[in-house]
Amino acid sequence: MDHRRFALLFIAPILFVSASVMLTRICRYPIEKMVSANEFETLDADALTAAPTQPVYDPRLTACCISDADKLRAQLGEECSVVIHPPFVIGGDFSNEELRRWYHRTIHPATRAMQDEYLAHLPTRTIRLLLFRNSDSYDHYCETLFGDRYLSVYGYYRPVERTVMVNVGTGSGSLVHELTHALMDQDFSSAPPWLQEGLASLHEQAVVLRKQDQLQLCGRVNWRLPRLRQAMLEGRLEPIQSLFTSESLLNEQEALNYARARYFCLYLQSRGVLSLFYQSFRDWGYTQDPTGRKTLQEIFGEKAYGNLHHDFSKWLRELDTDAYST
Ligand SMILES: [Zn+2]
């Protein structure tokens, strides 16, 4: 075999594969650098131990979790572990001990706080939480399990399978964002997109605090704020009421829509009415109030509702970011 033929058959393919791998890494690098971290914290160490009685789940749920965990172990393979904390089946490329730590430090406090503040219905069906330590393993399992590619760098929730997929390398708050979707799905599944994403993204940067006998998930400022303030400065902020009638937040203004929904939820929390709003809205029912407008009118009064955009914009302008930082 002459030298040219040898180079064509053996060296060229090796060079091509190496170049492809390098190109993939170079292309991915800026994306990963752009990902903003989401941090969730439990600041009050006594919050959980002093919390009121633990919720009691239907014992049949434990049996369902055990059976689902067996299926999940087979699907994930030997690289991953699976642990059970009803209603959750928690799996991912961590050891059993690490997955339990995720449960005790993040999943459990966030769930308890949501039960205290918002949820009227305990989950009656299992919820799978799949945690992956970086974008490589996350991308791999998204594609292997569901054929999903590049849906979100942080994570997403699949309602049909009641499964959360999350890249916890982007921060514990990404897990709490998706956990909020999973818990709302069994409590208020007809909630409009603005409330689903507003509350979930509020929780991606939040702390759990104890207020009297209740745990509370208090939102903090995060990377979504500058985009919102910039839009306000440039006069591009539409009246907040237009958010309520949006059938989807996923359009060319997606990032701004998410920021509006998140900071409107933080505004409601700062006014002390977020929990009341969620519960009243859910209990009123989708047919009575599909967008939340009537519930807000009821809580704020007709006149203040008319002034809502002005008041929200003023609050946003004057928001003390130090007081809301983690
Ligand atoms: Zn979401």
Side-chain angles (χ1 to χ4, degrees), residues 12 33 36 40 44 61 66 73 79 85 87 91 110 127 162 181 190 194 235 240 252 256 277 289 317 322:
K33 290 296 281 182
S36 307
F40 166 85
D44 185 350
L61 196 55
I66 293 169
R73 278 188 194 99
E79 301 288 306
H85 285 281
I127 295 171
R162 297 189 305 283
H181 286 311
S190 61
W194 77 265
I240 195 67
E252 68 283 355
L256 184 57
F277 167 72
D289 184 15
R317 233 179 348 260
D322 288 338

Side-chain angles (χ1 to χ4, degrees), residues 2-286:
D2 65 36
H3 286 101
R4 278 173 56 195
R5 197 170 158 78
F6 177 80
L8 200 66
L9 284 176
F10 294 100
I11 299 177
I14 291 169
L15 286 175
F16 177 76
V17 170
S18 305
S20 301
V21 169
M22 276 179 68
L23 197 60
T24 306
R25 283 172 192 264
I26 289 165
C27 289
R28 283 179 72 101
Y29 182 69
I31 297 170
E32 291 184 350
K33 290 296 281 182
M34 280 161 57
V35 171
S36 307
N38 297 318
E39 289 306 329
F40 166 85
E41 286 183 59
T42 306
L43 288 185
D44 185 350
D46 296 329
L48 284 168
T49 47
T53 52
Q54 301 290 321
V56 179
Y57 293 101
D58 186 328
R60 283 172 296 185
L61 196 55
T62 305
C64 291
C65 285
I66 293 169
S67 147
D68 191 53
D70 288 341
K71 284 185 212 149
L72 185 59
R73 278 188 194 99
Q75 288 172 326
L76 290 176
E78 290 180 357
E79 301 288 306
C80 295
S81 308
V82 177
V83 299
I84 297 168
H85 285 281
F88 303 112
V89 177
I90 307 164
D93 59 339
F94 290 95
S95 66
N96 282 347
E97 194 182 320
E98 287 172 317
L99 289 178
R100 290 195 195 287
R101 206 175 301 138
W102 275 108
Y103 173 77
H104 288 293
R105 289 188 181 171
T106 305
I107 299 163
H108 182 51
T111 303
R112 288 302 322 279
M114 277 199 68
Q115 284 165 345
D116 280 357
E117 282 193 279
Y118 306 109
L119 309 179
H121 311 101
L122 289 175
T124 54
R125 291 168 296 162
T126 54
I127 295 171
R128 277 185 177 186
L129 303 175
L130 305 190
L131 285 53
F132 302 100
R133 59 175 73 240
N134 57 41
S135 55
D136 286 339
S137 60
Y138 165 75
D139 289 346
H140 168 74
Y141 285 99
C142 289
E143 186 156 11
T144 307
L145 295 180
F146 301 112
D148 293 337
R149 299 185 75 191
Y150 313 126
L151 290 185
S152 161
V153 290
Y154 299 102
Y156 58 99
Y157 173 59
R158 291 181 61 99
V160 173
E161 295 87 2
R162 297 189 305 283
T163 297
V164 157
M165 300 291 286
V166 63
N167 171 9
V168 288
T170 60
S172 51
S174 302
L175 170 57
V176 183
H177 178 127
E178 304 308 330
L179 175 66
T180 302
H181 286 311
L183 292 171
M184 279 182 78
D185 190 30
Q186 295 195 47
D187 184 67
F188 188 10
S189 59
S190 61
W194 77 265
L195 182 59
Q196 299 210 17
E197 293 303 342
L199 202 59
S201 56
L202 181 70
H203 293 166
E204 71 201 4
Q205 191 82 27
V207 294
V208 169
L209 299 174
R210 187 169 180 234
K211 299 229 167 137
Q212 294 159 343
D213 283 342
Q214 299 256 303
L215 298 185
Q216 194 176 36
L217 264 167
C218 300
R220 293 293 184 252
V221 291
N222 73 343
W223 53 273
R224 297 189 194 267
L225 182 62
R227 186 186 302 273
L228 191 59
R229 280 188 157 164
Q230 188 63 31
M232 189 167 66
L233 278 173
E234 293 169 3
R236 292 188 289 111
L237 206 58
E238 288 178 34
I240 195 67
Q241 288 89 342
S242 69
L243 182 69
F244 310 147
T245 48
S246 309
E247 287 184 7
S248 169
L249 306 189
L250 305 176
N251 54 32
E252 68 283 355
Q253 294 285 322
E254 180 183 335
L256 184 57
N257 293 339
Y258 271 64
R260 286 167 82 206
R262 180 184 200 271
Y263 283 91
F264 185 66
C265 285
L266 186 59
Y267 162 80
L268 293 179
Q269 191 168 64
S270 76
R271 296 287 188 255
V273 297
L274 180 59
S275 177
L276 172 69
F277 167 72
Y278 177 98
Q279 293 174 12
S280 311
F281 185 17
R282 176 196 59 215
D283 296 345
W284 201 327
Y286 181 78

